[in-house]
Structures are given as structure tokens and as C-alpha cells.
Amino acid sequence: MALRSVATCPRSLRRFFSTSGFGFPPRPAAPQPREEAEPSTNLFVSGLSKRTTTEKLREAFSPFGEVIHARVVTDHVTGYSKGFGFVRYAKIEDAAKGIEGMHGKFLDGWVIFAEYARPRPQPPSPQNSGYAN
DNA sequence: GCTGAGCGT
């Protein structure tokens, strides 16, 4: 008898999602347009061969400037390369020459792409985050 | 250890 009332839909609430033109935010935000990042000493290199290692990456970018650090990103489980890496130069002008000199070039049989790496969120340091005891 | 765009152990 009284079990048919569970399916009564409140039409008053449905109008907010059907008749209004603002059901959901059309575009929350676009903090990263996924375009070129700002010039920095940190470079993002993609298109690497699976066999390209960190030292080969460094050797490839060394002639264009002083490479502070180079690293091919590898999976921490399998240990294999993910096909991209990072190169950090001592100066931005060196990084620019590294991009100019290696972007679109071949490395281990693959055309690599060199561009400025995007800044990534820095982990807050509990000893220097501004909080005093 | 590959399928191959993509922003890190």
C-alpha cells in the first residue's frame, strides 16, 4: 500500500539542473595551458628512446652548455625509461642553446623534443614554512 | 620492455 511513495521525485529540485543555464561551472580554471613554460635552467626532454639513459642524455646536451644535472625518468617499479627526462643547465642561456641545438634532433634513433620544464609544486618544509613554535 | 604522448625518483 504505502510503498509507492519512494519514487516521488521532487520536481522543484530538478529545475535547478535542467532549466538553468548554469548547471556546472563551464570552465573551473586553466592554470596550465600546456604550452611552453617560462625560460629556466630546467629542461624537459621527451621523445627519448626507451634505451636512452641518463648519461646518454647528459652527453647529448653537454656540448651546448654546462649541464648541472640530467635525468631520464624511469619507472620505479620496472626501472625502465618512461621516454622522457630532464636536463638542468648552469645558465638559462645554456638551456636555450641546449634546446636550439637538440630540439628535433635524433637520439638513439628517435627524434627528441627539448623545451623548458614546467615549475612543479614545491613540498612545504616544516622547518621553514613560516610557522614558529 | 612493448603500444610513443608526455612534466620527475
Side-chain angles (χ1 to χ4, degrees):
Chain A
M1 297 179 178
L3 296 176
R4 61 183 179 182
S5 61
V6 296
T8 52
C9 300
R11 293 179 299 177
S12 303
L13 296 177
R14 298 177 68 182
R15 295 178 63 182
F16 286 95
F17 297 95
S18 59
T19 56
S20 58
F22 302 94
F24 293 93
R27 191 64 59 186
Q32 296 297 348
R34 290 185 297 180
E35 295 296 331
E36 295 181 355
E38 297 180 1
S40 63
T41 57
N42 205 24
L43 263 54
F44 171 70
V45 185
S46 59
L48 297 176
S49 171
K50 303 295 183 180
R51 289 173 258 205
T52 301
T53 62
T54 292
E55 60 179 36
K56 294 183 70 172
L57 183 64
R58 176 184 296 217
E59 291 177 359
F61 281 81
S62 291
F64 304 97
E66 181 181 359
V67 177
I68 298 298
H69 190 75
R71 173 177 296 175
V72 171
V73 177
T74 56
D75 187 273
H76 71 100
V77 178
T78 62
Y80 282 98
S81 172
K82 291 183 179 180
F84 62 92
F86 296 88
V87 176
R88 175 166 292 186
Y89 280 98
K91 294 180 298 185
I92 294 182
E93 58 183 286
D94 291 337
K97 290 187 297 183
I99 295 178
E100 300 278 334
M102 286 304 299
H103 182 74
K105 299 301 174 59
F106 280 86
L107 185 60
D108 280 353
W110 286 82
V111 178
I112 68 174
F113 297 87
E115 57 189 324
Y116 296 109
R118 301 192 191 119
R120 56 173 182 168
Q122 303 175 4
S125 301
Q127 61 183 4
N128 192 14
S129 60
Y131 288 95
N133 56 313

